[in-house]
Amino acid sequence: MEAIIFPNGPLAMAGNLYLPAGFDPEGSYPAVVTVHPGGGVKEQTAGLYAAKLAEQGFVALAFDASFQGDSGGEPHHLEDPYARVEDVRAAVDHLQSLPYVDAERIGALGVCAGGGYAVNAAMTDYRIKALTTVSAVNIGTSFRRGWYGTDSDAAAVPTLQALAQQRTAESAQGAEPAYLPYVPAEPDGSTPRDLVEASEYYLTPRAQHPNAKNKFLFTKSVSRIFTFDAFHMVEDLLTQPILIVAGSDAGSLWMSTELHGRARSTKTLRVIEGGTHMDFYDIPKYVDQAVAEAVPFFTQHLAGKDAS
């Protein structure tokens, strides 16, 4: 693994580049961008998947989102879906600049919100030739309709009203910026199982990282998130093959099944029995199954022009 910096317009992006065993700088390799969840950093699940893909012969790049982790951008702790989609494109830019990466054999793998961002990037960047989502989340839809997708989009209105008041307080009255947590710091009996497990993942030694501070700016993030739809026009614009991996016991499964139902490109849905949303972040039994699906998928679809 090499710690790298790559450009994203005026921003400096922090990444970890994973190279295959026996790496030959004169060779030509397929490559995969791995995109971390909301609230995550490159050292967590995105890096885990990148390392496992590198073990199977791929160059893999995990990176911190702009405005997050070690990457540049102010104000920090901003979750901007449109910026995060551009981050994926910038990562592809960097991979294409590497002499040992075959520019025609680049894929993307996204986890949770990173899956939605990867889908959205692929719809407008056909340099991404194949796509895998793991525990996919369409962050805008999830924020509006709730974790289980049972609310209407109009359920977002009270939060947007509170956002308007907070923005006035910050911009006109000198209030300090307000932050929201990505995962509940103190889950209770009403907290969905997946979010209880998310708290265990991010806020305990299981996967805690000093750059993943479990907070994002309220006013500057939520207004962008609530109007974002990662799957908008997926029926028409997603032309690349897609593999969708999710757990049968994940509260987020509805987003993976929706994506599978709407996509019109070559598509495969793999529902892993017994898996929850968070199991695919670091539990070997489930991560290994996801990788076992992704490796032959990428091998087939990043085979190059001369493959049969």
Side-chain angles (χ1 to χ4, degrees), residues 165-176:
Q165 294 175 350
Q166 180 62 29
R167 183 150 189 161
T168 296
E170 292 179 15
S171 63
Q173 300 167 5
E176 290 296 314

Side-chain angles (χ1 to χ4, degrees), residues 4-111:
I4 63 167
I5 300 293
F6 63 94
N8 179 4
L11 303 181
M13 303 290 290
N16 287 338
L17 187 67
Y18 294 80
L19 302 173
F23 171 71
D24 177 4
E26 301 299 320
S28 180
Y29 294 89
V32 178
V33 175
T34 62
V35 189
H36 67 68
V41 288
K42 62 186 180 299
E43 291 84 1
Q44 296 171 326
T45 188
L48 176 61
Y49 277 91
K52 288 185 173 293
L53 289 169
E55 290 173 359
Q56 300 299 319
F58 298 89
V59 171
L61 174 59
F63 61 91
D64 287 337
S66 53
F67 306 96
Q68 300 176 29
D70 287 322
S71 288
E74 294 295 336
H76 228 51
H77 307 297
L78 175 67
E79 183 73 27
D80 181 344
Y82 302 94
R84 291 212 53 189
V85 171
E86 184 61 25
D87 293 345
V88 180
R89 301 187 189 107
V92 174
D93 291 341
H94 180 70
L95 287 174
Q96 286 197 322
S97 76
L98 301 176
Y100 47 81
V101 168
D102 185 335
E104 296 299 320
R105 301 167 67 198
I106 295 175
L109 181 150
V111 182

Side-chain angles (χ1 to χ4, degrees), residues 14 19 33 56 64-65 79 143-144 174 176 199 221 223 228 243 269 290:
L19 302 173
V33 175
Q56 300 299 319
D64 287 337
E79 183 73 27
F143 267 57
R144 293 189 304 272
E176 290 296 314
S199 183
S221 300
S223 58
F228 179 73
L243 168 68
L269 174 64

Side-chain angles (χ1 to χ4, degrees), residues 61-304:
L61 174 59
F63 61 91
D64 287 337
S66 53
F67 306 96
Q68 300 176 29
D70 287 322
S71 288
E74 294 295 336
H76 228 51
H77 307 297
L78 175 67
E79 183 73 27
D80 181 344
Y82 302 94
R84 291 212 53 189
V85 171
E86 184 61 25
D87 293 345
V88 180
R89 301 187 189 107
V92 174
D93 291 341
H94 180 70
L95 287 174
Q96 286 197 322
S97 76
L98 301 176
Y100 47 81
V101 168
D102 185 335
E104 296 299 320
R105 301 167 67 198
I106 295 175
L109 181 150
V111 182
C112 188
Y117 295 141
V119 169
N120 199 263
M123 287 195 289
T124 54
D125 192 338
Y126 294 156
R127 298 175 303 168
I128 299 170
K129 303 301 183 183
L131 179 65
T132 293
T133 65
V134 179
S135 294
V137 164
N138 183 345
I139 190 170
T141 303
S142 179
F143 267 57
R144 293 189 304 272
R145 300 182 188 171
W147 185 248
Y148 296 115
T150 54
D151 295 334
S152 69
D153 286 332
V157 170
T159 301
L160 293 173
Q161 290 171 334
L163 184 152
Q165 294 175 350
Q166 180 62 29
R167 183 150 189 161
T168 296
E170 292 179 15
S171 63
Q173 300 167 5
E176 290 296 314
Y179 295 88
L180 294 178
Y182 281 99
V183 301
E186 297 181 358
D188 57 30
S190 66
T191 305
R193 173 184 176 183
D194 294 310
L195 299 186
V196 173
E197 293 179 359
S199 183
E200 294 169 353
Y201 178 85
Y202 283 110
L203 303 180
T204 74
R206 174 179 168 186
Q208 201 168 28
H209 192 277
N211 281 349
K213 297 184 182 297
N214 192 36
K215 67 177 187 177
F216 63 97
L217 284 162
F218 176 34
T219 62
K220 295 185 182 299
S221 300
V222 169
S223 58
R224 293 168 168 86
I225 292 171
F226 272 33
T227 56
F228 179 73
D229 179 1
F231 304 158
H232 178 59
M233 299 183 71
V234 71
E235 299 88 344
D236 299 312
L237 298 184
L238 185 69
T239 64
Q240 302 95 315
I242 183 169
L243 168 68
I244 303 164
V245 179
S248 66
D249 294 353
S252 59
L253 176 59
W254 62 276
M255 286 178 273
S256 289
T257 57
E258 177 186 338
L259 174 59
H260 180 256
R262 291 175 59 182
R264 296 290 178 263
S265 61
T266 301
K267 58 186 179 180
T268 302
L269 174 64
R270 290 283 184 260
V271 178
I272 307 300
E273 189 63 33
T276 65
H277 181 87
M278 298 302 300
D279 283 339
F280 292 89
Y281 280 49
D282 66 338
I283 302 301
K285 173 182 177 181
Y286 295 100
V287 172
D288 289 348
Q289 288 185 77
V291 172
E293 297 286 347
V295 167
F297 171 81
F298 282 129
T299 299
Q300 175 185 356
H301 294 291
L302 302 180

